[in-house]
Amino acid sequence: MAHVVVVGGGIVGLAVARELASRGSRVTVLEKERRWGAHQSGHNSNVVHAGLYYKPGSLKARMSVAGNASMVAFAREHGVPVEVCGKLVVACSADELPRLHDLAARAEANGVPAKLISATEALEHEPHVSCVAALRVESTAIIDFPAVCEALVGELAEHDLRLQSPVMAIRAVTGGVEVLTPQGVVRADALVNCAGLHSDRVARMAGLTPRATIVPFRGEYYEMTRTELVRGLIYPVPDPTLPFLGVHLTRMLDGSVHAGPNAVLALRREGYRWRDFSFADVTDVAKFPGTWKLARRYAKTGLEEVLRSLSRKRFAASLARLVPEVTEADIVRAEAGVRAQAMLPDGSLVDDFLVESAPRQVHVLNAPSPAATGSLEIAKHVADLTRSVIE
């Protein structure tokens, strides 16, 4: 029986641990925080994505589509709240129609159930929306991802799960790895790095030189006070020249409506507020050449995101493109999230999942959205790689 140490107790790390355990491995999970899913897994929109945005054939596309089905099934089996509500992607002007049609074609290529509908038909789903046409996506769901993490922990009760156990050092040894924690050394046959915001640092600690560096982006959310304006999920047509989807509206399981996120550079890898600052993290970002190349490429967009971060009026105006009745008075600040975005030295963002391996090691270096959606499928892929690095 192989012993595998998994670094990171977010949804991907826990799903990987569960998959390895189901294949007969003995598992140790090391999480530096006091609770499971403390960062990206517990600070997101709680949407189970359908898989329509991603390049056909990519890991993102395959794992999102398959993950949509497996995540909903897992939630229902384990009593985790989930609702398959569908969503609207709306074209707010005629010049967005070609992109909406391209998105419909991509949905078809990926096997995502989606249908182009008229503005009148869109009003049947969302009476307050403003659009010239929309794409109705049926398989999108809302879920409680922290509850999914707890369900995964429940399935690992017979294994070694350690909170408040940060990794301090990693050493390759004959036939395995040794991982130093404040509680002592963990020796295992293999290591799987699912450390999210710190995945590149863990990889370097293990002796790798990862192709990508993690640059943290904070996504800020507001909560709607007039929840009657939104029935489900309303998304804009994404601009393919920009790296993020744009602000959208999401009705949560408890009936609240979240608006966002924007995307601004975080001043700390776990920087959920502007005042959260780490000199070491900022220095790493400033020294990385990709940061400045990205900044030059998206200077105007970046400035707009910062201004929207600082101005509730601007944020509300972005939402009013989707639902014109939304005003500044209708939104209040909500909890933010931080996205672990892998970036290459040329300033390009790693679009797909990125996993690198070495003898006795597997490193998940980029697992952005839809990682939570596809976590059970990512786990199968990582477990296959883990077996190959041990054999």
Side-chain angles (χ1 to χ4, degrees):
M1 179 190 297
H3 178 204
V4 182
V5 58
V6 177
V7 180
I11 195 169
V12 173
L14 292 169
V16 167
R18 170 182 178 263
E19 183 65 27
L20 290 167
S22 74
R23 299 185 185 195
S25 293
R26 183 163 56 92
V27 178
T28 295
V29 181
L30 303 177
E31 167 55 50
K32 69 182 180 67
E33 302 294 354
R34 296 174 178 269
R35 60 186 174 89
W36 306 108
H39 292 294
Q40 292 183 102
S41 303
H43 294 81
N44 61 55
S45 60
N46 282 309
V47 174
V48 182
H49 293 285
L52 76 157
Y53 297 111
Y54 316 118
K55 182 180 178 180
S58 65
L59 280 174
K60 267 190 176 184
R62 301 201 317 269
M63 293 186 182
S64 183
V65 174
N68 178 282
S70 60
M71 182 55 66
V72 170
F74 179 90
R76 288 172 173 167
E77 179 184 349
H78 291 81
V80 173
V82 64
E83 180 185 343
V84 182
C85 54
K87 77 174 181 182
L88 287 183
V89 181
V90 298
C92 298
S93 60
D95 63 344
E96 292 181 345
L97 287 174
R99 300 207 307 267
L100 185 69
H101 286 267
D102 289 345
L103 197 60
R106 178 162 286 193
E108 183 177 4
N110 287 340
V112 175
K115 178 184 177 183
L116 287 166
I117 61 176
S118 67
T120 300
E121 290 171 314
L123 290 172
E124 296 174 7
H125 296 281
E126 295 287 352
H128 300 277
V129 76
S130 174
C131 66
V132 295
L135 186 67
R136 174 66 182 173
V137 185
E138 296 297 339
S139 56
T140 302
I142 48 174
I143 198 169
D144 184 344
F145 278 128
V148 172
C149 290
E150 291 301 323
L152 291 168
V153 168
E155 292 206 340
L156 292 163
E158 297 181 1
H159 293 266
D160 183 15
L161 306 183
R162 305 186 187 185
L163 293 169
Q164 296 180 262
S165 296
V167 172
M168 301 167 66
I170 299 169
R171 182 174 68 172
V173 296
T174 302
V177 294
E178 289 182 345
V179 182
L180 177 64
T181 76
Q183 294 79 31
V185 174
V186 178
R187 193 187 191 288
D189 299 300
L191 175 143
V192 178
N193 168 16
C194 299
L197 284 157
H198 299 277
S199 58
D200 58 335
R201 289 174 172 170
V202 170
R204 292 188 187 97
M205 199 183 296
L208 271 71
T209 303
R211 288 191 288 132
T213 293
I214 295 298
V215 176
F217 284 89
R218 184 172 61 255
E220 295 162 327
Y221 289 88
Y222 281 83
E223 191 168 312
M224 295 275 296
T225 56
R226 294 180 62 195
T227 57
E228 73 277 5
L229 295 180
V230 180
R231 285 184 178 176
L233 284 70
I234 307 174
Y235 280 60
V237 178
D239 184 340
T241 67
L242 300 178
F244 301 115
L245 284 178
V247 296
H248 42 270
L249 292 156
T250 305
R251 177 173 285 275
M252 311 298 280
L253 287 165
D254 62 2
S256 64
V257 176
H258 281 202
N262 65 343
V264 295
L265 186 68
L267 302 180
R268 180 181 170 188
R269 289 215 179 185
E270 288 140 5
Y272 298 101
R273 300 161 298 183
W274 275 109
R275 65 178 178 271
D276 293 337
F277 178 85
S278 163
F279 180 79
D281 290 352
V282 170
T283 299
D284 283 350
V285 169
K287 289 167 61 177
F288 181 56
T291 303
W292 302 103
K293 293 174 183 177
L294 179 80
R296 286 194 294 270
R297 191 175 304 153
Y298 296 110
K300 181 180 178 182
T301 300
L303 177 60
E304 290 173 352
E305 291 291 318
V306 170
L307 292 174
R308 185 163 56 191
S309 169
L310 299 173
S311 169
R312 187 170 66 167
K313 183 177 181 179
R314 283 179 177 270
F315 208 107
S318 297
L319 299 172
R321 288 196 73 241
L322 308 174
V323 178
E325 292 175 59
V326 175
T327 69
E328 182 182 356
D330 299 325
I331 58 175
V332 294
R333 284 276 186 184
E335 195 174 62
V338 178
R339 172 178 177 145
Q341 177 61 60
M343 188 184 297
L344 300 177
D346 66 0
S348 59
L349 303 183
V350 180
D351 184 56
D352 206 355
F353 296 132
L354 176 62
V355 183
E356 294 184 8
S357 58
R360 305 278 174 169
Q361 300 177 25
V362 177
H363 298 267
V364 181
L365 297 173
N366 192 48
S369 179
T373 295
S375 55
L376 300 177
E377 306 305 315
I378 296 168
K380 296 173 186 176
H381 178 66
V382 172
D384 288 343
L385 290 174
T386 306
R387 181 176 59 191
S388 71
V389 300
I390 294 176
E391 293 176 350

